[in-house]
Amino acid sequence: MSGAVGVPGRRSGEDVAAEKTASSAGPAAPADTEPGARRPGDRTSGDGGPAKGRGAAKGKGASSKKGGPSGKPGDAPAAGAPRPRDASAGQEQPLPPGAVDLSQTEALSGREAPPSARRRGTVRQGELIRALRALRDQLGAFELVLDVPGVEEAREARLQIRNQLDDYVLPRVQAAGTPMLVVLGGSTGAGKSTLVNTLVGARVSATGVLRPTTSSPILVCHPDHAEWFLEGPLLPGMGRVPGPAPDAIAGDQLVIISSDALPPGLALLDSPDFDSVFEDHYEFATKLMAAADVWLCVTTAARYADAMVWQMLQRARDNGATIGVVLSRVPQGAGAEVVDHFAEMLAEHGVGDARRFTIPETRVEDSRLPEETVEDLREWLVGVAEDAEGRHIVIEDTLAGVLDSFRTRVPELAKHVETQVEQRAELARLVETAYSTALAELDESTRNGSLLRGEVLARWQDFAGTGDLLRSLHIRGRGARRSNRRRKGSPTRVRALKSALRAGLESLIQSSAEHAAEQVIARWREHPAGRHVLAGPAADMGHASPELSRRITRAVSAWQDHVHELVRTEGVTKRSVAKLVSFDTEALSLVLTIGLLGYGTADVAVEGGTSAVPQRLLKALFGAESLRGMGAKARADLRSRIGMLFDEEAIRFGQALDAAGIPDETVPVQLYQATYDLEVAR
């Protein structure tokens, strides 16, 4: 086996020990750091200066986009920026992204943290947990229901982020002192189970020629941590069973096996093959990858160029995992050439900084490799696990990498949600357009006289031609009081005309609403997103709602009362006329209504040259200015009442959009805000 290749931004146990020695002779700590304590997030290089961490090596950090105060990326604290102090309050602000909790670092290194540091660490951890839970809840508060381009990838990304929060991030933040979990993933027949058996020194995972061999994941840890893995919060969606495991394992059970061969700080997990013929094995493999502190990709010299291997490596990189790779079954003759080519491909795919190990083609006895073939890998894993601070740095690196990945993964998901929101907005605009058009057409119909036909026109001519119109005007003088006594109550023709006007308006409004509903359904059927909505209860919404008729009757009656009140309160007769006549307000309100509805226009055929009777009469009584004021108020009131009726009808379609589960415009804003809040909490 060849030696392990070093990685920028990764440190072994020996590196950490050397750095401790170098840092003890380095410059004094900054003034805002506790005396004698290492500043959170600081690393020391060989020359005593600060060294860049994993985020910097991978191009993450200050250049990454973050959610700003408005919910859009761009305003979050930069990774690696110094932690500012609030001079007025004397309190430190939240740590920058990727920084290490001071109190946890001191505890892991064997030193007791000062009380103030412990308090700061507890408060900071609580804020981070709340921000993570808020992000998780927000991710579960919507569905991507529309089949738009890229929706499958967005659905998978949403599920991955939410699962990673539940399976790894929240458990790791809440239990920082638990062992480093190394998950071995790889293609079928790569030798993962054999490698685990060799590292443990016993046959704990099944091996053989049948593929796939490992059907359920097997976790091996020190006995001191077996209970935590059996009952702890890690991977809450999977069942747990204690080992040892039989050769044939079925289901999604996580098998927990205790072994004194592993140090207390290390746990190994043999996951199912990610290219298995069983689809659920791929799901388990990706789920376990997202829960790993270190993801160790195992492949062979014959299959390392397979597309699936590189897809999984890139996925692990994008998800922020700390990656190691094992190239097994390297032939003795052409080993160097294969190893060099593998290294080149790692660099080309952006994972050139992964820790690399090679295992030569060799014999396998009792499901185990010869000890010397895994010596370097064992030394690295055990060395990091046994060094508390080194192990903590690896865990913090992975956790920081995962949190860093949320800076881009969540906003990218929010953009896909915005696409769904835009589709919803288009459907809503179709509803608004249909009812706005109906309102405009109805407004024109109440102006051009088209309503004054049939029953309405006959009743008006009956009222105006039989003398009731003139009798509604009372000549002041000796006989006025006697005439008033004779005219008790409204004449029959006045009531008939008022009823005909009300029925005509009601019919016109009902017809316009029916047409608008039909237009909405027709336009939704032509829209891809609309077809999804119409697959539900909205398919029966091509007509006006059953209760609309009752609401229209109330609205028209209220409008007629409003016109009557306008005539009574604002219909001030001209002084010259008032000396001679008084008038019946109900009859004149009907005359005003007839004039408002367009009586006398070219489209209304009337007999005897009396087309302008309403206008002439009203102008003679009230004057042109007063008449214009009353007419404008009456028309505005009618339009407002009809608009409210149509708005109530349009609400049904908004409810259909809600029932279809299409996200509204608040969802992406909340995702951006949750990303920003997470950055602040870090």
Side-chain angles (χ1 to χ4, degrees):
M1 172 178 174
S2 64
V5 182
V7 184
R10 296 287 195 279
R11 304 188 300 174
S12 66
E14 293 82 359
D15 295 333
V16 173
E19 289 177 5
K20 286 183 179 178
T21 305
S23 61
S24 64
D32 63 341
T33 307
E34 294 290 340
R38 183 173 63 85
R39 181 178 174 84
D42 287 350
R43 303 192 186 169
T44 55
S45 61
D47 58 359
K52 292 184 178 180
R54 187 170 78 74
K58 289 193 175 184
K60 300 176 181 175
S63 62
S64 299
K65 293 184 178 180
K66 316 162 189 71
S70 62
K72 293 290 184 180
D75 294 319
R83 179 169 45 163
R85 271 186 180 273
D86 187 340
S88 60
Q91 297 178 350
E92 290 187 347
Q93 301 302 308
L95 283 173
V100 181
D101 189 312
L102 177 62
S103 60
Q104 294 179 7
T105 303
E106 296 293 341
L108 287 170
S109 61
R111 299 191 296 272
E112 183 179 359
S116 60
R118 289 197 297 271
R119 285 194 298 272
R120 286 197 303 273
T122 302
V123 171
R124 191 159 53 248
Q125 184 188 44
E127 293 174 351
L128 180 58
I129 291 173
R130 282 192 293 273
L132 290 169
R133 286 175 175 169
L135 175 58
R136 178 196 60 191
D137 294 343
Q138 187 55 42
L139 289 168
F142 66 92
E143 295 290 340
L144 298 167
V145 298
L146 299 180
D147 292 329
V148 296
V151 69
E152 291 299 331
E153 293 80 358
R155 288 168 181 163
E156 186 178 0
R158 170 181 169 271
L159 183 62
Q160 288 174 8
I161 297 172
R162 196 157 187 261
N163 286 344
Q164 196 166 23
L165 284 166
D166 282 331
D167 296 341
Y168 174 71
V169 178
L170 280 165
R172 178 52 74 194
V173 171
Q174 294 168 337
T178 53
M180 178 178 70
L181 178 61
V182 179
V183 176
L184 284 79
S187 53
T188 301
K192 302 184 306 299
S193 300
T194 302
L195 186 56
V196 169
N197 293 337
T198 306
L199 292 171
V200 175
R203 188 176 184 273
V204 294
S205 185
T207 62
V209 295
L210 296 179
R211 301 290 179 242
T213 306
T214 305
S215 297
S216 284
I218 296 174
L219 188 148
V220 187
C221 64
H222 190 273
D224 291 348
H225 298 291
E227 184 176 355
W228 186 87
F229 281 112
L230 279 169
E231 302 178 2
L234 193 71
L235 296 165
M238 300 188 71
R240 318 294 173 90
V241 294
D247 287 347
I249 309 169
D252 60 349
Q253 301 294 309
L254 180 61
V255 182
I256 311 298
I257 299 177
S258 302
S259 174
D260 289 321
L262 295 183
L266 177 64
L268 300 178
L269 198 159
D270 182 12
S271 68
D273 306 327
F274 52 61
D275 61 349
S276 170
V277 294
F278 300 107
E279 185 175 351
D280 57 346
H281 286 190
Y282 171 78
E283 295 175 359
F284 292 155
T286 54
K287 187 179 184 72
L288 296 171
M289 172 201 292
D293 294 311
V294 176
W295 188 65
L296 202 59
C297 178
V298 183
T299 187
T300 66
R303 298 194 58 186
Y304 69 85
D306 289 356
M308 181 62 77
V309 174
W310 301 104
Q311 290 175 11
M312 297 298 286
L313 281 169
Q314 289 176 336
R315 181 171 184 165
R317 179 201 63 189
D318 294 341
N319 289 0
T322 296
I323 302 173
V325 291
V326 176
L327 184 63
S328 66
R329 299 180 185 172
V330 177
Q332 298 291 343
E337 182 179 349
V338 171
V339 171
D340 290 344
H341 183 247
F342 183 49
E344 291 174 2
M345 292 190 68
L346 287 170
E348 290 173 2
H349 287 81
V351 285
D353 60 347
R355 197 74 182 242
R356 299 194 299 273
F357 302 90
T358 58
I359 298 177
E361 185 73 52
T362 185
R363 67 186 187 282
V364 176
E365 296 180 359
D366 194 21
S367 301
R368 293 159 58 185
L369 298 167
E371 284 295 321
E372 63 273 12
T373 61
V374 299
E375 182 180 353
D376 288 348
L377 177 59
R378 185 195 303 279
E379 181 181 354
W380 177 63
L381 292 175
V382 173
V384 174
E386 290 182 342
D387 180 79
E389 187 172 358
R391 182 177 71 251
H392 182 66
I393 288 172
V394 171
I395 293 173
E396 283 293 327
D397 270 353
T398 300
L399 181 59
V402 173
L403 296 180
D404 286 347
S405 74
F406 291 161
R407 296 172 180 168
T408 54
R409 292 164 68 193
V410 177
E412 285 174 0
L413 176 61
K415 290 178 182 178
H416 284 284
V417 178
E418 288 174 344
T419 302
Q420 305 257 329
V421 173
E422 290 171 1
Q423 297 285 303
R424 176 184 176 129
E426 288 181 11
L427 296 179
R429 281 194 293 271
L430 292 176
V431 176
E432 182 181 357
T433 300
Y435 281 97
S436 296
T437 302
L439 182 59
E441 292 174 349
L442 194 147
D443 189 50
E444 178 61 23
S445 297
T446 58
R447 289 177 182 271
N448 61 17
S450 60
L451 184 63
L452 303 178
R453 301 177 186 276
E455 178 74 10
V456 176
L457 183 58
R459 293 299 179 187
W460 162 249
Q461 290 175 339
D462 188 31
F463 171 69
T466 57
D468 280 355
L469 175 57
L470 294 178
R471 281 192 291 272
S472 66
L473 303 176
H474 309 302
I475 307 299
R476 293 184 183 276
R478 204 180 304 171
R481 184 177 301 174
R482 186 167 57 254
S483 176
N484 283 340
R485 283 199 300 269
R486 287 197 304 267
R487 291 187 68 263
K488 206 169 184 180
S490 300
T492 302
R493 292 184 180 88
V494 172
R495 293 195 299 270
L497 176 58
K498 185 176 181 179
S499 177
L501 284 169
R502 181 171 60 246
L505 267 176
E506 290 175 1
S507 177
L508 182 61
I509 296 170
Q510 181 78 31
S511 175
S512 296
E514 292 281 352
H515 181 67
E518 292 171 1
Q519 287 296 105
V520 171
I521 296 300
R523 292 171 184 174
W524 276 15
R525 285 199 181 103
E526 297 171 357
H527 196 285
R531 288 194 289 271
H532 170 80
V533 179
L534 293 176
D540 300 328
M541 293 172 58
H543 301 282
S545 59
E547 63 273 12
L548 178 62
S549 177
R550 176 173 48 85
R551 295 201 303 265
I552 291 175
T553 300
R554 288 202 307 264
V556 173
S557 296
W559 179 69
Q560 287 183 317
D561 293 341
H562 176 73
V563 175
H564 181 270
E565 188 67 14
L566 279 175
V567 173
R568 189 183 68 82
T569 58
E570 300 189 18
V572 179
T573 3
K574 293 191 295 186
R575 291 185 181 181
S576 59
V577 178
K579 294 178 182 180
L580 301 175
V581 300
S582 61
F583 56 84
D584 180 66
T585 55
E586 184 174 18
L588 285 189
S589 69
L590 291 177
V591 176
L592 178 59
T593 301
I594 291 291
L596 289 173
L597 296 178
Y599 188 88
T601 61
D603 296 334
V604 181
V606 293
E607 298 176 358
T610 59
S611 63
V613 167
Q615 295 297 327
R616 285 203 302 265
L617 176 60
L618 295 171
K619 284 182 181 179
L621 290 175
F622 306 121
E625 185 176 352
S626 178
L627 180 60
R628 280 196 301 270
M630 286 191 297
K633 290 180 179 179
R635 186 169 293 283
D637 186 74
L638 177 61
R639 183 181 178 86
S640 174
R641 294 179 189 275
I642 297 174
M644 291 178 62
L645 291 172
F646 284 0
D647 288 344
E648 291 172 351
E649 286 294 286
I651 287 174
R652 300 181 305 143
F653 294 96
Q655 292 171 341
L657 293 175
D658 291 337
I662 306 175
D664 60 24
E665 64 277 2
T666 64
V667 174
V669 173
Q670 290 170 349
L671 285 174
Y672 287 126
Q673 186 63 47
T675 308
Y676 175 73
D677 291 343
L678 177 58
E679 288 298 307
V680 172
R682 292 178 65 189

